[in-house]
Amino acid sequence: MMAHDPARTLRNAAGEARAFRVRALLGFGIVVASLSGLAGWYFKLQVVDHADYAKRSEANRIKPRPVVPGRGLIYDRRGRILADNVPAYRLDVTPEEAGDPKQLVAALSRIIALTPEDIATFESTRKATRSFRATTLKLRISDEEAARFAVDRWRYPGVELVPYLNRRYPHGDLLAHVIGYVGRTDEGDIARSGPQQGLFPHSGRTGIERYYDETLRGRVGYEQVETNVEGRALGRVGMVPAVSGADLRLSVDLDLQRAMAMAFGEMHGSAVAVDPATGEVLGMVSLPSYDPNLFVNGISTADYRRLMDDPARPLFNRNVLGGGPPGSTIKPFVALAGVDSGLRTPESRIFSTGEFFIPGQRRGYRDASRGGGWVDLRDSISRSINYYYYKLAYDMGIARFDQYMARYGFGQPTGIDLLGETSGIVPSPEWKAANSREPWYVGETVIAGIGQGYWVASALQLARGTAAIANGGDLHLLRLVAQRRIGYDQPWTTVAGTASTRISDNLTHLRAVQEGMEATIHGRGTATAMARGVDYRMAGKTGTAQKISRRGSGSTDPRSLPYHLRHQALFVGYAPADRPTIAVAVVVEHGGYGGTTAAPIARRIFDAWLLGTMPEPIPVPGAPRVPEAEEAPGLFAAVVSVASSRNAVATSADPSAARATEGASVNGDASDAVGVAAERTGTGTRTPGNTVDRGGLR
């Protein structure tokens, strides 16, 4: 074993000192570098980034809050409110801040009444919306619920009680098909109108509310609100004002609207009243109707099912979406086409034998009047002689017939400011070729002359065309909104109309048609009962459109038919005859005859407008409710009119002859003449209608 060397165990003090100094210097350098870095970071925070962090700090203290403007109000022509706003509260939840939705809903249910529909709507909307965006849990919080929530507000971060203005329709179902309604804004509205639409609680769904939705809702503003650490608002420090929605003044007169609804009694149908000078709509009803207030904050399943299951289809706007054969109400227009085309003069006389034959065919097109003798234009209108129009349509040909009907506004929208308006159908070979494999038959031209066959015309189109005859030939686009303003203290500005077109440049021809329509009521026409006890003169035309064809040569009394198969009754007219201020079109479902059902309704409308006389309650005998399985679709469905024209079996070289012959005996106003005769002898019975509760229209 090697001996221990004491020299090797001696410590090297100098080396250790040098190592210590190196380590000390290294540590000191690290400390200095760290302090320098920290100082530099502090400098960056305090000096370089001061503005940015100051801005963020201010943002935590000052929060922007959107200011949603009140939806514009809607007035009638005399300044009476038809759609207004009432103060209300809603409960909004921001899921990102509120935590677990199920626990939140369970907790809130203890202080606020939440229905299963409220919860289901919230869940579906929340899942389709980004978590940082507020979602409405419940609309229309009561005052008591709002007070209870305010006490425990601090327990629910991300939940806000938001004041807003709720839409209200004070006249209920009276104007539902004119004004329409609003509904809760959904993702479809946001996708259609942009993200800002999500700030509005409601969006227009139908009627004026939908057509003018962007105009009515205005523009969102913002306010800067100072908050404390709990997020409670302390005060407002700045604001970008919102722009309120525009108020709209309609041309509709509330009193006339009510009179039109009352004039129908319990019957179903539609009516349009127009100012002949301007094309402004004075009143427009579609009956039965519904209460639009049900839809504002989300309709209940029970209420919606009740409306959808009603066979009378109260949600269906018969004026805008409907249409059907105009029957004999088309005859004044066909007569005008005949004289303007040069095929007839006002004094041209045709001998009506009561049955018209197309050359080469043995089966005729009958007239229920069994022959009218020598007939000129005026007589053909007032007495509604089908023979005159069979021959005129045959002589004119379908191409020229279509050209003139388009000039009078048929087969095209009326321009009314409501979405979804039907164009209707003017019978033509082109239309039939696109919808049928059969060729065009001459007999279909013949029956087009009395408003049958493939015809589809709406009450709006009939009223527009009648107004053009009344005012001397100017065809106006129909309008509901007459004026608008932005701000209650601002003046009303007139909504600019569009230029009218001429339906005829020959005033002599127009005057002959007017005289024929006047003789319908004040001569020996089909609506003379309208003139009883009246001190002003009217002009008009009755019409009847059957739902089934007649078999054989016997006449058909519509009162003997099942309710849902009875004829549609129509009337068009204007008053006063010398200086008209109102033109109307009336369509009554299952009404029987135009002269006994639709014409009296028009008389009540005229009296209300010209004399201020509201209709008396109508004693209508109650009809048994038609079982749903038997109830025909609502008035004037295009598919019904087209299908009915195809039902007859061809029995001659021209299959349309069978259809036309069977229909002609009950079509047109030869049947109206029968109805007037019954009324004159006291045997006429008003056709009852289904009894449907229309609330405020009693």
Side-chain angles (χ1 to χ4, degrees), residues 285-545:
V285 297
S286 174
L287 301 171
S289 187
Y290 64 95
D291 185 359
N293 292 295
L294 295 173
F295 290 88
V296 173
N297 294 314
I299 188 170
S300 68
T301 301
D303 286 334
Y304 186 69
R305 180 52 52 196
R306 175 177 56 81
L307 292 173
M308 292 299 294
D309 290 345
D310 190 336
R313 300 199 295 173
L315 295 177
F316 183 69
N317 191 330
R318 288 154 164 80
N319 289 311
V320 175
L321 305 175
S328 291
T329 59
I330 205 67
K331 289 178 180 177
F333 303 99
V334 179
L336 181 60
V339 291
D340 276 351
S341 65
L343 293 174
R344 301 284 189 274
T345 69
E347 288 72 31
S348 296
R349 303 177 70 196
I350 303 295
F351 188 81
S352 170
T353 63
E355 190 169 12
F356 175 76
F357 291 90
I358 296 175
Q361 291 189 9
R362 290 181 300 172
R363 185 157 188 169
Y365 297 78
R366 291 190 297 273
D367 198 328
S369 63
R370 298 183 180 180
W374 289 103
V375 179
D376 63 10
L377 179 147
R378 297 171 180 83
D379 283 340
S380 72
I381 294 175
S382 64
R383 295 161 56 198
S384 199
I385 304 298
N386 283 350
Y387 187 99
Y388 184 96
Y389 295 95
Y390 290 146
K391 181 169 177 52
L392 177 55
Y394 176 79
D395 293 344
M396 188 177 297
I398 193 61
R400 186 156 43 175
F401 182 90
D402 291 345
Q403 177 185 356
Y404 277 97
M405 294 305 106
R407 179 183 298 182
Y408 305 147
F410 297 102
Q412 58 193 271
T414 65
I416 193 167
D417 33 354
L418 295 173
L419 293 179
E421 182 187 6
T422 180
S423 296
I425 299 171
V426 174
S428 69
E430 294 76 18
W431 182 88
K432 187 178 180 184
N435 293 273
S436 172
R437 296 182 180 179
E438 294 184 3
W440 183 264
Y441 299 107
V442 178
E444 292 169 327
T445 301
V446 171
I447 62 175
I450 63 168
Q452 294 294 155
Y454 296 112
W455 262 108
V456 176
S458 68
L460 285 169
Q461 292 170 332
L462 290 170
R464 182 189 182 203
T466 303
I469 292 176
N471 67 31
D474 290 327
L475 188 68
H476 296 280
L477 292 178
L478 300 187
R479 303 295 291 176
L480 280 164
V481 173
Q483 295 178 314
R484 56 176 291 178
R485 70 180 181 189
I486 300 178
Y488 70 93
D489 57 345
Q490 298 299 311
W492 290 97
T493 59
T494 300
V495 176
T498 56
S500 60
T501 58
R502 295 287 299 173
I503 63 170
S504 176
D505 292 323
N506 192 313
L507 296 180
T508 300
H509 293 169
L510 279 167
R511 183 56 190 157
V513 172
Q514 292 171 348
E515 290 171 352
M517 295 177 70
E518 193 170 347
T520 299
I521 301 171
H522 299 282
R524 54 175 185 157
T526 58
T528 55
M530 285 183 67
R532 294 176 184 168
V534 70
D535 56 0
Y536 59 88
R537 293 185 70 83
M538 298 167 281
K541 183 72 191 79
T542 55
T544 302

